[in-house]
Amino acid sequence: MLIFVISAIDFHMPPICSPIVRPGRPAEASPMVSKQLSNTISSSRMTDLKELSLVSGKAAWMAYLDIYCLDADGALFDAALLSAIAALSHLQIPSIAMNDDGKIVLVSDEDGQKRAQEPVNKEKRKLTLRSIPFSLTCILHKNYILADPTAEEESIMETHVTVVLDTSGQLISLYKPGGPVLAYTSAIQDCAALTRQRVKELNNFLDKANSAMEV
Amino acid sequence: MEYVSPEGLRLDGRRPMEMRQIRAEIGAVSKADGSAIFEMGNTKVIAAVYGPREVQNRNQQISSHALVRCEYSMANFSTGDRMRKPKGDRRSTEISLVIRQTMEACILTHLLPRSQIDIYVQVLQADGGTRSACINAATLALADAGIPMRDLVTSCSAGYLNSTPLLDLNYVEDSAGGPDVTLGILPKLDKVTLLQMDSKLPIDILENVMQLAIEGCKAIANYIREVLLENTKQLEYRRGV
């Protein structure tokens, strides 16, 4: 039996991010984006959750993903998903060992002495991310498609379409929460085409950021 | 534990009277009327000011001056271990009150009657001296929002460990249990607006520690003025003045 835990994903919108958000009551977008993120990350199968398992049937890592919105200026889900993926691609799983009592202990190599216990996972390693999902939110207005809207545009126009594609071009999710404009198949396909273009840009952007982090 | 080596160096390599590297940036939050990021070493804080605006709760409206509100919170990831309750705890409430009272002392609230000024401060990374960093960030954000003030408020901490007065304590020094003095001053008016101290400290040593903190506050004030001046020049350039 394997034990592994789906990461707990929280999207926070502190009152700092927007004049609409006031202290005391959480922003209504916050739980919605959290749920959307959780669904997208789990359904895309970008991470193999077995990698979070330490000892089969006994211990596993719990990955918490906290995303803070510091400036809410539209397309919150797109920004949140990108930051979540960037954080997961930067995540390092530390070396750990299991002592005689069956407790998990961190293994440090800094002192250069011989390890007392053999590590369960051989070295600090990164999660393997495959088919990374990226998203693009569009607004439908009359005959126009407005990609990546600002908060002002979002407040004026009510029909949003969020398309999530992975790097292999597969559709992960499609989200259209109501709105007065009915989306025709052609409009959805246009949104998907724009997203496909965006995926390439964001993937390059992420690769550059990751390579800059490597020493 | 030895916090100051025989060579006179602290754990992070600084001298006792040396501050951590400071960095400030104005206009970090586009939606806010004024905002700023302030860094002191590994402590990183973002502040946003909304207002003056209409009072949300009419019962709280004051006809003679503005209502100042403040909320301090820490991000879950700001400390080494993930925080369960980043806001709403006693410490956050106390720091919110401290920041509000400190800023109220410098804001010319009588010029803005029947209005509300909201100051929101978020700690992104905590490594000691968070309340000082928050006050400095709030000052910059208020200046960016164009809120009339008597003077800038700048804050810095100082402590006393291993019989040595230390300026600008980091987390390790702060949690050593020694005296920790947090000072907030109005540098041009040369007045103290905030003074907090934990632990016992002889009065003659307090003077030395306080003097050290004042010097730190003045150094921060000079830096903040430079940042504001640079920001004003950029605004002039953008507007073609």
Side-chain angles (χ1 to χ4, degrees):
Chain A
M1 182 184 78
L2 280 166
I3 294 180
F4 40 82
V5 184
I6 294 175
S7 52
I9 298 167
D10 278 324
F11 180 73
H12 306 265
M13 285 184 77
I16 197 170
C17 74
S18 167
I20 301 160
V21 182
R22 299 278 177 128
R25 66 175 77 135
E28 55 184 39
S30 183
M32 202 166 71
V33 174
S34 295
K35 187 78 181 81
Q36 239 181 307
L37 275 172
S38 196
N39 291 346
T40 303
I41 288 170
S42 58
S43 64
S44 68
R45 295 200 177 94
M46 63 180 279
T47 54
D48 183 4
L49 292 175
K50 288 177 185 176
E51 287 186 11
L52 292 174
S53 175
L54 293 170
V55 181
S56 185
K58 286 184 181 176
W61 287 109
M62 174 74 178
Y64 289 97
L65 187 57
D66 287 298
I67 300 162
Y68 274 76
C69 175
L70 299 177
D71 193 353
D73 193 20
L76 296 180
F77 175 73
D78 301 353
L81 182 62
L82 184 61
S83 66
I85 284 151
L88 286 168
S89 63
H90 184 241
L91 171 71
Q92 284 195 320
I93 300 170
S95 295
I96 56 100
M98 192 176 255
N99 64 16
D100 302 332
D101 309 334
K103 286 185 179 172
I104 298 291
V105 287
L106 284 170
V107 174
S108 174
D109 240 357
E110 285 166 16
D111 51 5
Q113 292 172 354
K114 195 175 182 293
R115 289 170 170 156
Q117 296 101 354
E118 189 59 32
V120 176
N121 50 347
K122 290 288 183 234
E123 74 279 335
K124 265 195 175 184
R125 65 181 203 276
K126 291 192 170 190
L127 281 177
T128 312
L129 302 183
R130 9 169 246 280
S131 61
I132 300 167
F134 293 103
S135 70
L136 179 66
T137 299
C138 299
I139 280 179
L140 303 182
H141 176 65
K142 293 177 184 171
N143 299 328
Y144 299 100
I145 293 172
L146 307 178
D148 192 20
T150 63
E152 194 177 5
E153 289 168 342
E154 279 186 356
S155 65
I156 298 164
M157 300 158 201
E158 296 154 33
T159 310
H160 306 80
V161 176
T162 301
V163 181
V164 184
L165 297 175
D166 66 14
T167 42
S168 63
Q170 269 192 308
L171 183 68
I172 304 294
S173 77
L174 187 62
Y175 186 67
K176 181 190 177 288
V181 179
L182 297 173
Y184 292 101
T185 317
S186 58
I188 297 292
Q189 282 174 341
D190 288 344
C191 289
L194 285 168
T195 309
R196 208 166 282 121
Q197 202 177 318
R198 185 77 165 153
V199 166
K200 286 175 188 170
E201 289 171 21
L202 292 176
N203 202 21
N204 290 337
F205 180 71
L206 190 68
D207 286 342
K208 274 182 189 171
N210 281 334
S211 58
M213 287 295 290
E214 285 167 16
V215 182
Chain B
M1 190 178 173
E2 200 177 63
Y3 292 96
V4 183
S5 70
E7 293 80 29
L9 295 175
R10 287 150 77 170
L11 295 171
D12 55 7
R14 286 184 290 155
R15 302 210 171 272
M17 295 184 185
E18 192 181 337
M19 282 179 71
R20 290 176 289 181
Q21 194 169 359
I22 54 176
R23 191 186 80 87
E25 187 187 318
I26 290 175
V29 183
S30 63
K31 288 271 167 276
D33 295 303
S35 61
I37 290 175
F38 197 86
E39 291 176 33
M40 295 175 85
N42 290 330
T43 297
K44 191 173 187 176
V45 162
I46 185 165
V49 169
Y50 291 96
R53 58 181 176 183
E54 195 179 347
V55 179
Q56 191 185 0
N57 188 349
R58 283 291 168 93
N59 302 335
Q60 293 179 321
Q61 187 172 289
I62 307 160
S63 58
S64 58
H65 58 268
L67 169 71
V68 180
R69 291 171 65 196
C70 180
E71 190 186 85
Y72 163 97
S73 59
M74 294 178 82
N76 293 94
F77 49 76
S78 61
T79 53
D81 294 323
R82 183 178 182 269
M83 291 180 71
R84 299 279 173 186
K85 274 190 174 179
K87 66 173 183 194
D89 60 334
R90 280 186 187 179
R91 185 177 175 273
S92 296
T93 309
E94 184 251 335
I95 294 175
S96 298
L97 185 67
V98 165
I99 297 167
R100 181 173 69 79
Q101 288 171 337
T102 305
M103 300 327 287
E104 264 182 341
C106 80
I107 298 170
L108 298 168
T109 52
H110 64 278
L111 298 179
L112 307 161
R114 294 187 183 86
S115 63
Q116 175 178 314
I117 298 163
D118 291 321
I119 304 166
Y120 299 121
V121 189
Q122 182 89 40
V123 178
L124 301 177
Q125 241 173 251
D127 184 31
T130 52
R131 67 185 76 191
S132 293
C134 287
I135 288 164
N136 296 330
T139 299
L140 274 166
L142 284 164
D144 185 37
I147 305 286
M149 293 191 282
R150 286 181 180 84
D151 190 4
L152 297 171
V153 182
T154 56
S155 177
C156 191
S157 66
Y160 190 73
L161 289 169
N162 297 148
S163 309
T164 315
L166 304 176
L167 180 64
D168 188 19
L169 306 181
N170 63 25
Y171 177 72
V172 179
E173 294 164 340
D174 201 359
S175 48
D180 171 26
V181 177
T182 303
L183 189 75
I185 65 163
L186 302 170
K188 270 192 175 173
L189 301 174
D190 213 20
K191 287 183 177 177
V192 172
T193 175
L194 167 71
L195 178 59
Q196 282 188 305
M197 193 186 89
D198 309 331
S199 301
K200 288 180 183 175
L201 189 62
I203 286 178
D204 55 332
I205 293 169
L206 173 66
E207 283 182 24
N208 297 339
V209 173
M210 240 184 99
Q211 195 51 49
L212 191 60
I214 287 168
E215 282 167 24
C217 289
K218 285 183 175 172
I220 290 168
N222 291 336
Y223 175 71
I224 282 176
R225 277 198 200 96
E226 279 175 29
V227 170
L228 287 169
L229 193 66
E230 185 58 40
N231 186 60
T232 309
K233 281 178 183 172
Q234 282 179 4
L235 284 172
E236 280 181 350
Y237 177 73
R238 279 189 213 127
R239 289 172 188 175
V241 178

